[in-house]
Amino acid sequence: MATQDKYCFERNKKESERLDIQHRVLVRTSGNTLIHPSIPIEEIRSVADIATGTGIWLQDVSKSLDTPQIERYYHGFDISSEQFPENPGAIQFSVQDLTVPFPREHWGRYDLVHVRLLVAALEESDYQATIANVYDILKPGGYLQWEEIDEETYRTKGYPVFNELHRCFDYGLTAEGKCFRASAKVYEESRAAGFVGVERLCYNSHQNPDLRYEIEERLTAIIRTLYAFLLLRSGQVDTAQVASQEAEKLVEEHRRLCAQGNSPPLKLMRVVGRKPLHESLL
């Protein structure tokens, strides 16, 4: 059965470049922590990356973890293969819809499963099954690390453009049955699924002033893509032309505020949890 691509953006070279740039910004926002410090990297031998896109996160993780004495295994999964790298090296890639169970050969295989930026892809009803599928492919004692940019960014006070973005995203995502409070949903469902030591953390880009320009440009791109996309698809405007015009008006306001020194923050939400070493018999 064919899987339905839930991706909201184009799948082309330009989008792949945007994803790689975005990855660098998110890593710097998190204080250059590809993997949360609570996860013991010396215990990691196998890593899965879900919604891997270009595989950039896996590539960086493999560079940071690899040592000559230890053999490690890396596998990226995505609902589409269109953005997989042409020369993946030792990293494996597979097409996989994370809302359905993984092939049995992946069950209990990974010490760390990383998931990122699915707020605009997953329906709210998908989270329970998705987290159960992640649970299944983790080894006992393995770790989940899930990152989102969700409503926590757009609830930031003192930045007027966020008011309109929050209104649009909340309306548009809710109309499609999706969950704007994605990181909170992941936190709740992870605990319900049996993960232990679950934490929900927030990283604010304002803690790194050097990121200001990149964050401003990233928001410009979000307005021109996701904002315009949701305006049209949720019926808030009638045509793509009107959606584009509304997006450009908001870009102008965004740039005016930035020029006045009112630069917006990005908040990266991260949920970390561990699969128990021993399953409960209760």
Side-chain angles (χ1 to χ4, degrees), residues 181-230:
R181 50 185 293 274
S183 61
K185 184 68 172 175
V186 171
Y187 175 82
E188 294 162 5
E189 294 292 352
S190 297
R191 296 184 68 189
F195 283 94
V196 296
V198 182
E199 295 183 86
R200 179 171 172 253
L201 308 153
C202 178
Y203 300 89
N204 191 318
S205 66
H206 274 181
Q207 295 178 352
N208 184 347
D210 292 340
L211 280 172
R212 174 177 171 170
Y213 175 76
E214 286 92 340
I215 299 300
E216 291 175 356
E217 289 301 301
R218 182 193 172 277
L219 189 58
T220 297
I222 288 295
I223 294 171
R224 285 175 169 160
T225 52
L226 185 58
Y227 174 71
F229 175 85
L230 287 175

Side-chain angles (χ1 to χ4, degrees), residues 12-23:
N12 52 35
K13 182 178 180 181
K14 183 177 180 180
E15 173 61 9
S16 293
E17 291 172 353
R18 185 193 71 84
L19 287 177
D20 288 353
I21 292 169
Q22 176 179 261
H23 164 75

Side-chain angles (χ1 to χ4, degrees), residues 14 33 73 149 153 165 171 177 193 199 220-221 224 230 263 282:
K14 183 177 180 180
T33 58
Y73 178 78
I149 300 170
T153 280
L165 290 176
Y171 181 91
E199 295 183 86
T220 297
R224 285 175 169 160
L230 287 175
S263 184
L282 297 178

